Amino acid sequence: EGLFLIGGPDRGHGWSPETLEAQISAIAARHRDVHWRAASSRRTPEGFLARLQALALANLETVPVEDVGLDWLPQKLAGAATVWVTEDSVSMIYEALSAGAATGLLSMPQRNSGARGRDAGGRLLAEGLVTSFEAWSKGRQPAPPHEPLDEAGRCADWILSEWRPCDD
């Protein structure tokens, strides 16, 4: 199974449904043996999932955010070999990496060069933890991280190392 996690426009990213649709179509067409689910988020513009449904790709299912519960994403991430996330969705990128999935970034138009998502995506690309759509289109496949990220554990370790009990 594979997932497409679709965010939407924000301060740092615009929206190009044509570009995103083309990227998703290309990935689903190249990997016809994979059952893909495209899930929207609260920021996904209305009508985008209908555009994907209109493509009538046999291996692509659309999942509106309104139709899933809180446990849906963790369950699907656990069973997904590959996850493609729009580059605006930093939290979903980290969730995919934390699940140990091979993670790709779907390109979105840039609005602000200093935006949080672009900075985080650039660091993850530089570290080889994610694969850009451009690199994928030239033959590079997303690979799972050597070890799943453990951001909660990393934060807990930092808090414990910084916290010093008060002496009475």
Side-chain angles (χ1 to χ4, degrees):
E1 291 188 354
L3 286 174
F4 294 108
L5 301 178
I6 303 163
D10 63 12
R11 279 190 339 230
H13 298 87
W15 181 254
S16 173
E18 298 82 9
T19 301
L20 193 53
E21 182 181 303
Q23 291 174 76
I24 291 170
S25 294
I27 294 165
R30 188 180 295 174
H31 300 285
R32 294 183 200 283
D33 58 328
V34 176
H35 176 82
W36 293 97
R37 286 186 178 90
S40 64
S41 71
R42 292 181 312 274
R43 288 187 297 109
T44 306
E46 191 172 325
F48 183 71
L49 289 185
R51 288 179 69 118
L52 291 181
Q53 287 175 329
L55 297 173
L57 299 171
N59 62 335
L60 179 65
E61 172 187 353
T62 59
V63 183
V65 68
E66 303 85 26
D67 293 354
V68 300
L70 294 175
D71 60 340
W72 185 89
L73 184 57
Q75 287 177 353
K76 296 306 175 195
L77 285 171
T82 305
V83 179
W84 285 89
V85 185
T86 55
E87 62 187 353
D88 61 289
S89 300
V90 176
S91 62
M92 289 193 293
I93 294 168
Y94 276 94
E95 285 184 71
L97 290 169
S98 295
T103 304
L105 296 184
L106 297 167
S107 299
M108 300 278 284
Q110 301 293 316
R111 285 188 184 166
N112 178 354
S113 63
R116 177 179 70 110
R118 184 171 184 162
D119 293 345
R123 281 192 306 274
L124 294 171
L125 284 166
E127 294 172 18
L129 291 172
V130 296
T131 301
S132 68
F133 178 80
E134 181 181 350
W136 175 86
S137 66
K138 294 176 181 174
R140 182 170 173 208
Q141 294 300 310
H146 296 298
E147 291 183 33
L149 298 184
D150 180 16
E151 291 301 288
R154 185 183 64 77
C155 291
D157 289 343
W158 179 84
I159 290 168
L160 290 173
S161 73
E162 295 295 313
W163 181 73
R164 309 243 192 280
C166 297
D167 292 332
D168 291 339

